[in-house]
């Protein structure tokens, strides 16, 4: 009897192992995805032992010593960054670990809306804005895309027009919700600037009611923005063709150092009546990369419409994350709603934007006047924001990575925040050698 039971048990175990093996083998059919290009670049940089290596790939601010910079206003608003977090939270009666509402911290979302749309925004005054806290700008893009995929009429098609080039993650975000990305002309490699006529032509040729993703300021990856008059023309065509604007604003304040100036395009579109939504991130301008603080704002035609939109955004958010995290939102809320901290934050933003602008001018001066590098390098100072398209080709980009240990993307994009007084001359000299073919 004991022997028979042992045989039965062994057979059962073997059968279970076989079934489990079959199940595990099924995952071998899953395609191996390539690593993210930016994070792969950063990993290669970290593994490199070359003493003069430079990382110009990552989109994160660094100070002149190439160190992450915790904004002074954040330190002031959040002693947690310096002291024991539990002690701070326990001693503050206004803070706890309870769930936030599904749509986020109300004092954060309302202040975030005022920041991008303006304190005097008629849309806010009329109650026509549906705002939801998101997992930074990526989450805002995803939630906005998901909402459009469910409720927006795409002329019988699920499509969105993306600038060529755009932030690489845009393509994945929209494909993941079954919206087909379509490129529209944006960057002109001949001028290393904006292909404005190509852009306008695409707006006019697209079917009415099409969705166009627009970078509110500091276009990623090119650093090329339309000027105010060009924005006016873009808005006019979008109104004429009844297009929908999907604004992505990840760098408010980083373009010019002025929060209001960098929000001008969005505010102008709202004032003109262009239907739109705005994706907003505080990763860069508040230095809160890991806190994932963002917001989605849908500007509707009436308060009733906004209420309906927010109700559905709440349903979608509930099924994905249930409730957004509170710590980063409380930090930003404190900064936005306290006049003294807000003014200090604006000074911090000017510090970051000012250093980047200074690096642009110094790089341009070395290439143009000192090294007399072949070609016109005015685009370095004409572009704006954290990123710059250098104009070098993929082969030149590959050479500068492999031979000079300067890490940048294959399309020649560099993060200006990665430049500093210690590596600027080396980077400029390496660019010069790359262009001359002597690297």
């Amino acid at each position: 009897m004991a022997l028979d039971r042992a045989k039965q048990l062994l057979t059962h175990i073997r059968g279970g192992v076989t079934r489990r093996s079959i199940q595990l083998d099924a995952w071998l059919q899953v395609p191996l995805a390539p690593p993210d290009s930016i994070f792969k670049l950063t990993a290669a940089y970290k593994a490199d032992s070359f003493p003069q290596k430079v990382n110009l790939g990552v989109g994160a601010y660094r100070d002149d010593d190439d160190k992450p910079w915790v904004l002074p206003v954040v330190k002031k608003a959040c002693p947690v960054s310096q002291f024991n977090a539990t002690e701070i939270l326990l001693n503050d009666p206004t803070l706890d670990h309870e769930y936030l509402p599904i749509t986020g911290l109300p004092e954060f979302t309302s202040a975030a809306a005022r920041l991008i749309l303006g304190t005097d925004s008629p849309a806010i005054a009329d109650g026509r804005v549906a705002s939801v806290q998101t997992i930074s700008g990526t989450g805002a893009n995803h939630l906005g895309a998901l909402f459009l995929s469910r409720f927006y009429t795409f002329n019988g098609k699920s499509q969105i027009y993306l600038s060529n080039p755009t932030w690489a993650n845009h393509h994945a975000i929209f494909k993941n919700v079954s919206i087909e990305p379509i490129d529209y002309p944006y960057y002109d490699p001949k001028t290393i600037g904006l292909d404005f006529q190509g852009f306008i032509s695409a707006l006019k040729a697209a079917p009415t009611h099409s969705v166009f993703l627009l970078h509110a300021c500091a276009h990623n990856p090119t650093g090329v923005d339309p000027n105010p008059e060009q924005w006016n023309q873009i808005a006019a065509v979008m109104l004429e063709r009844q297009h929908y604007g999907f604004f992505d604003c990840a760098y408010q304040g980083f373009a010019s150092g002025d929060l209001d100036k960098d929000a001008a395009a969005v505010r102008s579109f709202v004032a003109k009546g262009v239907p739109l939504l705005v994706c907003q991130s505080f990763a860069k301008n508040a230095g809160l990369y890991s806190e994932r603080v963002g917001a989605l704002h849908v500007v509707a035609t009436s308060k009733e419409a906004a209420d309906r939109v927010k109700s559905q955004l709440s349903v979608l958010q509930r099924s994905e994350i249930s409730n957004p995290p509170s710590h980063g939102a409380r930090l930003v809320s404190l900064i936005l709603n306290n006049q003294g901290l807000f003014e200090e934050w604006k000074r911090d933003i000017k510090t970051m934007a000012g250093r980047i602008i200074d690096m642009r001018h110094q790089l341009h001066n070395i290439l143009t006047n000192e090294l007399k590098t072949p070609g016109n390098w005015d685009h370095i100072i004409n572009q704006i924001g954290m990123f710059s398209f250098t104009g070098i080709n993929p082969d030149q980009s590959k050479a500068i990575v492999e031979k000079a240990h300067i890490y940048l993307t294959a399309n020649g994009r560099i993060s200006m925040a990665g430049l500093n007084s210690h590596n600027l001359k080396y980077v400029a000299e390496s660019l010069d050698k790359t262009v001359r073919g002597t690297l």
Side-chain angles (χ1 to χ4, degrees):
M1 290 288 294
L3 183 59
D4 290 340
R5 290 194 62 181
K7 288 180 179 179
Q8 290 174 359
L9 179 62
L10 182 59
T11 301
H12 175 74
I13 292 174
R14 285 173 175 169
V17 170
T18 301
R19 285 193 296 272
R20 187 159 59 249
S21 298
I22 292 173
Q23 291 169 350
L24 292 176
D25 286 346
W27 302 125
L28 293 176
Q29 307 303 314
V30 175
L32 182 65
D36 181 271
S37 59
I38 296 297
F39 287 95
K40 180 181 179 181
L41 199 67
T42 301
Y45 165 79
K46 289 180 178 179
D48 193 342
S49 60
F50 188 71
Q52 286 182 280
K53 66 179 181 178
V54 180
N55 187 2
L56 300 182
V58 66
Y61 182 79
R62 296 290 182 264
D63 63 17
D64 195 53
D65 292 319
D66 197 32
K67 302 295 183 184
W69 193 54
V70 179
L71 276 61
V73 70
V74 171
K75 289 183 178 180
K76 183 175 289 187
C78 180
V80 174
S81 62
Q82 296 175 315
F83 305 111
N84 184 278
T86 303
E87 181 181 348
I88 296 295
L89 291 173
L90 288 175
N91 291 334
D92 188 337
T94 67
L95 296 180
D96 52 42
H97 296 292
E98 292 295 300
Y99 289 123
L100 290 182
I102 295 171
T103 55
L105 189 69
E107 51 266 43
F108 162 71
T109 53
S110 59
R114 291 193 298 272
L115 183 73
I116 185 64
L117 300 177
T119 55
D120 58 350
S121 171
I124 293 177
D126 296 342
R128 296 188 287 111
V129 182
S131 297
V132 177
Q133 182 184 333
T134 61
I135 307 298
S136 201
T138 302
N141 273 267
H142 169 70
L143 186 59
L146 185 60
F147 176 76
L148 290 184
S149 73
R150 300 288 179 85
F151 299 103
Y152 189 79
T153 301
F154 288 87
N155 300 291
K157 297 180 179 179
S158 294
Q159 298 175 330
I160 187 167
Y161 287 81
L162 305 179
S163 65
N164 183 16
T166 190
W167 178 44
N169 213 18
H170 280 147
H171 287 268
I173 288 170
F174 289 100
K175 287 178 180 177
N176 280 349
V177 295
S178 300
I179 297 178
E180 178 190 2
I182 301 174
D183 287 348
Y184 67 83
Y186 188 87
Y187 174 74
D188 183 355
K190 295 178 181 177
T191 63
I192 316 182
L194 180 65
D195 180 2
F196 182 65
Q197 290 308 314
F199 189 174
I200 289 292
S201 296
L203 286 168
K204 291 180 177 179
T208 56
H209 302 286
S210 293
V211 181
F212 275 78
L213 189 143
L214 307 168
H215 295 235
C217 63
H219 182 272
N220 179 8
T222 67
V224 175
D225 285 359
N227 61 41
E229 178 52 35
Q230 289 171 331
W231 275 122
N232 285 335
Q233 293 182 54
I234 292 167
V237 177
M238 290 195 70
L239 277 170
E240 177 187 344
R241 300 293 296 164
Q242 302 178 64
H243 293 328
Y244 193 89
F246 192 111
F247 270 101
D248 189 1
C249 186
Y251 300 97
Q252 186 180 0
F254 250 93
S256 66
D258 185 317
L259 289 163
D260 293 321
K261 186 175 181 179
D262 290 353
V266 173
R267 295 176 186 179
S268 173
F269 274 51
V270 172
K272 290 177 170 62
V274 179
L276 57 85
L277 61 77
V278 187
C279 302
Q280 185 181 30
S281 169
F282 290 91
K284 272 70 174 183
N285 57 18
L288 296 172
Y289 302 95
S290 65
E291 298 294 345
R292 315 310 291 144
V293 189
L296 171 67
H297 311 283
V298 180
V299 180
T301 55
S302 67
K303 184 181 184 306
E304 180 187 356
D307 290 342
R308 290 174 179 271
V309 168
K310 191 168 184 177
S311 73
Q312 292 297 337
L313 289 174
S314 178
V315 171
L316 295 175
Q317 178 114 302
R318 171 66 168 149
S319 68
E320 299 222 326
I321 65 169
S322 277
N323 313 77
S326 68
H327 181 68
R330 292 188 188 279
L331 271 177
V332 174
S333 176
L334 181 59
I335 292 169
L336 294 180
N337 290 301
N338 180 297
Q339 191 59 39
L341 292 176
F342 184 65
E343 293 301 320
E344 184 171 345
W345 182 47
K346 290 196 290 185
R347 291 192 293 272
D348 290 344
I349 286 173
K350 285 185 178 180
T351 295
M352 293 187 289
R355 197 186 79 75
I356 288 174
I357 292 170
D358 182 55
M359 287 297 101
R360 287 186 179 276
H361 283 278
Q362 289 194 44
L363 179 61
H364 175 264
N365 179 62
I366 295 173
L367 292 172
T368 303
N369 300 318
E370 292 185 25
L371 301 176
K372 301 188 184 305
T373 306
N376 187 323
W377 294 90
D378 289 351
H379 57 277
I380 295 292
I381 52 177
N382 291 336
Q383 295 167 1
I384 196 167
M386 182 176 286
F387 299 111
S388 176
F389 254 30
T390 57
I392 63 176
N393 61 45
D395 288 338
Q396 293 170 326
S397 298
K398 183 179 179 182
I400 204 170
V401 171
E402 294 180 350
K403 298 180 180 180
H405 302 261
I406 297 173
Y407 291 82
L408 72 165
T409 56
N411 55 15
R413 187 204 78 171
I414 62 173
S415 171
M416 300 303 298
L419 292 176
N420 55 61
S421 61
H422 310 291
N423 63 28
L424 182 65
K425 191 66 178 290
Y426 176 69
V427 171
E429 290 173 345
S430 298
L431 275 172
D432 179 79
K433 292 176 183 177
T434 302
V435 172
R436 295 180 188 274
T438 59
L439 186 64

